[in-house]
């Protein structure tokens, strides 16, 4: 049994190790190890295309995760008091947002936004005061944030709602009985209890957006995120530079995940509300 | 502020987001799937079933998906179950959390980067070279269904392990003691107690993996080399290369319909022997 488990862990981690090992390869041929070097990290970090893609990815991930966490937490809190048909519809939409394949979300967002923009742009141009150039709506950072944020928000609602359900309701009632305003109760009683779930939701949202390729591939317009850059580079052949980028991306995601996991686990031990 | 107004205001951003970025796009796809391709690509309004009648043109993609998604799911299950069993029942509880996190973490890191690592392992300098050094010939692995299945199992294994682990961990250990006391050998206790009681987790894991596999694009694109392609790859081609949006929309609608039908049938079928479903998500 133990040997079997070990084999599966090797299966899960050897490919990651291979990328890390080859990223320190001195030679420029991707398939042969020729000594240790960190030159590819330097090359990757000095490559303006990589840095631009990294900046786009970080901007999108931060914005999407922040907005998703705000909207998702608000919705998770409000859904406590919602029953009947609105609740069923809301739950169904959240479920669909998580379950519909990314590729279907990607293409539908692409054609919907392009269609809406084609219809809105002439309208904007007509409404804009003469002499000023009207803004042109197009796919880019905004559509990336909106599309990534959708999935992330559904994720935040699911995680935070589980925590809200496991919360000690008597404390909220006590706080109200003692004369606290709803806002005061939220800030001093509810928020400290659900904060681990909110933070974990934010971190997972960030990781999702930062790693996502398939949705971004469709809605990025002329922007390039880091996964899009990596994908188009792999198409031309794997290079040590790409391995260096891959290793850095994996390292960052691993770090964020370990933090998110330990927050969730600690939150569970303290509060007992299981966030799935 | 009345509680009702407060609830409405709190829900508004999420509701608007869901409407604008989920409901609207899905409706547009449905409408487009009945349309015609404009001369320059894109969409021209029409109501026709022609796109659906032409679905046969992409039959290979549907066929590959409908064969490789269930096979991939089954392989994931076969490999994941013993591991989940080990984690839930056999391993030292001291290490359980760490080992579990080690299974989950890869799922949340870039599938793109993890998949392309297999280009090394399955490419000419990787496993085939090892095999040929052992004098067993030189098999061609990359760009084959085998490579795609390896990538699939590698990518989705964590998603299968987790729900099975949860249902095994919840299992009442006293039932196993009772079964042993009544004279069952361990293998019979496993078949008659453990396995049936872990079925909800198995059902959840299979469904999650199957749904994600139906929409897979990256793994066949990276490890299938254009020879093994899924519906997802056909969609990318239709939307980004040939810009045949209405036909692409019809393919997408057909894909979602197939998913809905299989999942509904599957849930109806499993509910009978699984007795309810464990609603667990990863993390």
């Amino acid at each position: 049994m133990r040997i079997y488990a070990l084999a599966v862990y090797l299966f899960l981690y050897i490919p990651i190790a291979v990328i890390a090992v080859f990223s320190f390869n001195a030679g420029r041929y991707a398939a042969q190890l020729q000594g240790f070097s960190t030159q590819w990290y330097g090359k990757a970090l000095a490559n303006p295309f990589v840095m631009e893609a990294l900046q786009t990815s970080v901007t999108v991930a931060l914005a999407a995760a922040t907005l998703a966490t705000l909207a998702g937490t608000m919705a998770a809190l409000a859904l406590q008091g919602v029953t009947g048909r609105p609740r069923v519809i809301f739950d169904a939409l959240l479920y669909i947002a998580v379950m519909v394949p990314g590729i279907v979300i990607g293409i539908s967002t692409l054609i919907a936004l392009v269609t809406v923009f084609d219809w809105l742009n002439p309208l904007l141009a007509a409404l804009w005061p003469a002499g000023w150039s009207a803004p042109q709506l197009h796919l880019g950072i905004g559509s990336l944030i909106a599309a990534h944020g959708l999935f992330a928000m559904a994720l935040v609602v699911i995680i935070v709602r589980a925590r809200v359900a496991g919360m000690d309701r008597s404390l909220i009632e006590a706080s109200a009985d003692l004369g606290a305003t709803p806002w005061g109760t939220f800030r001093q009683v509810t928020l400290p209890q659900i904060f681990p779930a909110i933070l974990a939701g934010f971190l997972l949202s960030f990781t999702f957006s930062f790693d996502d390729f398939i949705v971004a591939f469709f809605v990025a317009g002329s922007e390039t995120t880091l996964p899009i850059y990596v994908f188009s580079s792999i198409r031309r052949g794997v290079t040590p530079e790409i391995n260096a980028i891959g290793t850095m991306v994996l390292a960052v995601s691993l770090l964020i995940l370990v933090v998110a996991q330990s927050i969730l686990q600690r939150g569970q031990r303290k509060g007992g509300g299981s966030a799935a | 502020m009345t509680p009702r107004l407060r609830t409405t205001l709190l829900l508004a951003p999420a509701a608007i987001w869901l409407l604008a970025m989920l409901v609207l796009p899905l409706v547009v796809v449905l409408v487009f799937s009945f349309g015609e391709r404009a001369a320059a690509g894109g969409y021209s309004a029409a109501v026709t079933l022609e796109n659906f009648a032409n679905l046969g043109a992409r039959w290979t993609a549907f066929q590959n998906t409908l064969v490789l998604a269930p096979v991939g799911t089954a392989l994931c299950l076969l490999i994941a179950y013993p591991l989940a069993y080990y984690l839930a029942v056999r391993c030292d509880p001291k290490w359980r959390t760490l080992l579990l996190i080690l299974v989950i973490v890869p799922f949340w890191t870039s599938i793109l980067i993890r998949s392309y690592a297999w280009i090394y392992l399955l490419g000419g300098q990787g496993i085939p070279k090892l095999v040929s050094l052992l004098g067993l010939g030189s098999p061609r692995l990359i760009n084959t269904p085998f490579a795609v299945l390896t990538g699939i199992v590698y990518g989705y294994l964590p998603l299968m392990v987790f729900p099975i682990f949860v249902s095994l961990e919840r299992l009442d250990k006293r039932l196993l003691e009772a079964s042993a006391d009544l004279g069952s050998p361990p293998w019979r206790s496993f078949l008659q107690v453990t396995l049936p009681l872990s079925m909800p987790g198995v059902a959840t894991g299979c469904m999650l993996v199957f749904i994600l596999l139906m929409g897979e694009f990256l793994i066949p694109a990276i490890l299938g080399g254009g020879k093994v392609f899924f519906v997802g790859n056909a969609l990318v081609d239709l939307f980004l290369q040939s810009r045949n949006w209405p036909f692409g929309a019809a393919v997408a609608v057909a894909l979602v319909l197939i998913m809905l039908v299989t999942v509904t049938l599957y849930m109806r079928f499993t509910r009978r022997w699984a007795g309810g479903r464990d609603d667990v998500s990863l993390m």
Side-chain angles (χ1 to χ4, degrees), chain A residues 4 9 13 243 254 261 275-276, chain B residues 79 99 102 105 116 120 283:
Chain A
Y4 179 81
Y9 280 101
Y13 283 90
N243 290 332
L254 285 179
Q261 268 290 347
Chain B
I79 296 174
L99 287 174
L102 281 176
V105 156
Y116 98 68
Y120 279 110
M283 300 220 49

Side-chain angles (χ1 to χ4, degrees), chain A residues 207-240:
Chain A
T207 323
F208 159 74
S209 168
F210 192 74
D211 285 341
D212 169 75
F213 166 76
I214 193 68
V215 176
F217 194 45
F218 288 102
V219 301
S222 57
E223 297 287 341
T224 303
T225 64
L226 205 52
I228 295 178
Y229 178 83
V230 171
F231 182 78
S232 47
S233 303
I234 297 173
R235 285 264 156 124
R236 294 193 296 270
V238 179
T239 63

Side-chain angles (χ1 to χ4, degrees), chain A residues 25-193:
Chain A
N25 188 6
R28 61 191 305 261
Y29 295 103
Q32 268 171 315
L33 280 176
Q34 290 167 327
F36 179 86
S37 157
T38 53
Q39 60 162 325
W40 301 110
Y41 286 85
K43 289 229 164 89
L45 294 176
N47 182 338
F49 295 108
V50 174
M51 294 321 281
E52 202 177 307
L54 177 68
Q55 200 189 346
T56 308
S57 278
V58 171
T59 311
V60 168
L62 272 181
T66 308
L67 294 173
T69 308
L70 281 173
T73 306
M74 284 160 62
L77 288 168
L79 280 174
Q80 279 177 288
V82 180
T83 49
R85 185 165 293 183
R87 175 65 183 248
V88 172
I89 293 173
F90 214 91
D91 282 352
L93 287 180
L94 289 173
Y95 192 62
I96 293 172
V98 178
M99 282 321 229
V100 171
I103 194 154
V104 175
I105 298 275
I107 55 164
S108 32
T109 310
L110 168 79
I111 61 177
L113 288 181
V114 167
T115 309
V116 170
F117 291 166
D118 280 352
W119 180 75
L120 272 182
N121 276 332
L123 200 70
L124 273 176
L127 288 175
W128 224 247
W132 297 74
S133 58
Q136 281 278 323
L137 299 172
H138 55 83
L139 295 173
I141 300 264
S143 52
L144 279 169
I145 294 171
H148 280 174
L150 174 79
F151 180 88
M153 181 189 72
L155 202 66
V156 171
V157 175
I158 291 167
I159 294 175
V160 174
R161 190 164 62 182
R163 188 90 186 126
V164 169
M167 209 166 57
D168 193 348
R169 305 277 312 161
S170 57
L171 287 175
I172 293 172
E173 283 153 24
S175 166
D177 288 346
L178 291 169
T181 60
W183 172 245
T185 304
F186 170 74
R187 217 165 45 89
Q188 295 180 338
V189 181
T190 313
L191 191 59
Q193 284 196 70

Side-chain angles (χ1 to χ4, degrees), chain B residues 221-282:
Chain B
I222 293 175
L223 299 174
K227 295 199 186 72
V228 186
F229 46 87
F230 277 36
V231 177
N233 306 72
L235 284 173
V236 168
D237 176 53
L238 286 169
F239 277 92
L240 299 182
Q241 262 99 51
S242 44
R243 277 180 60 79
N244 192 345
W245 287 7
F247 184 51
V251 172
V253 170
L255 177 67
V256 172
L257 280 180
I258 293 175
M259 280 174 58
L260 278 177
V261 170
T262 16
V263 169
T264 313
L265 284 177
Y266 180 77
M267 279 168 79
R268 186 158 295 177
F269 178 66
T270 50
R271 194 162 291 158
R272 214 172 294 158
W273 45 266
R277 206 165 51 87
D278 258 342
D279 246 322
V280 284
S281 59
L282 214 63

Side-chain angles (χ1 to χ4, degrees), chain B residues 120-189:
Chain B
Y120 279 110
L121 292 164
L122 299 175
Q125 302 292 316
I127 294 172
K129 196 172 187 184
L130 281 179
V131 173
S132 71
L133 285 178
L134 292 171
L136 298 170
S138 58
R140 185 178 164 70
L141 296 179
I142 193 82
N143 301 343
T144 62
F146 173 80
V148 174
L149 281 173
T150 307
I152 284 171
V153 172
Y154 176 64
Y156 293 107
L157 193 64
L159 201 58
M160 185 69 89
V161 172
F162 195 69
I164 301 178
F165 167 82
V166 171
S167 61
L168 282 171
E169 202 198 20
R170 278 190 201 149
L171 189 138
D172 191 341
K173 305 288 186 300
R174 285 172 304 182
L175 291 172
L176 293 175
E177 285 162 24
S179 167
D181 289 348
L182 292 170
S184 283
W187 62 267
R188 185 180 268 167
S189 295

Side-chain angles (χ1 to χ4, degrees), chain A residues 99 101, chain B residues 64-74 76 152 156 159-160 202-216 230 255 257-264 266:
Chain A
M99 282 321 229
Chain B
N64 284 341
T65 309
L66 287 173
V67 171
L68 290 176
V71 172
T73 310
C76 276
I152 284 171
Y156 293 107
L159 201 58
M160 185 69 89
V202 171
T204 306
C206 286
M207 203 179 70
L208 291 175
V209 172
F210 182 75
I211 287 176
L212 285 176
L213 281 183
M214 291 289 286
E216 187 55 52
F230 277 36
L255 177 67
L257 280 180
I258 293 175
M259 280 174 58
L260 278 177
V261 170
T262 16
V263 169
T264 313
Y266 180 77

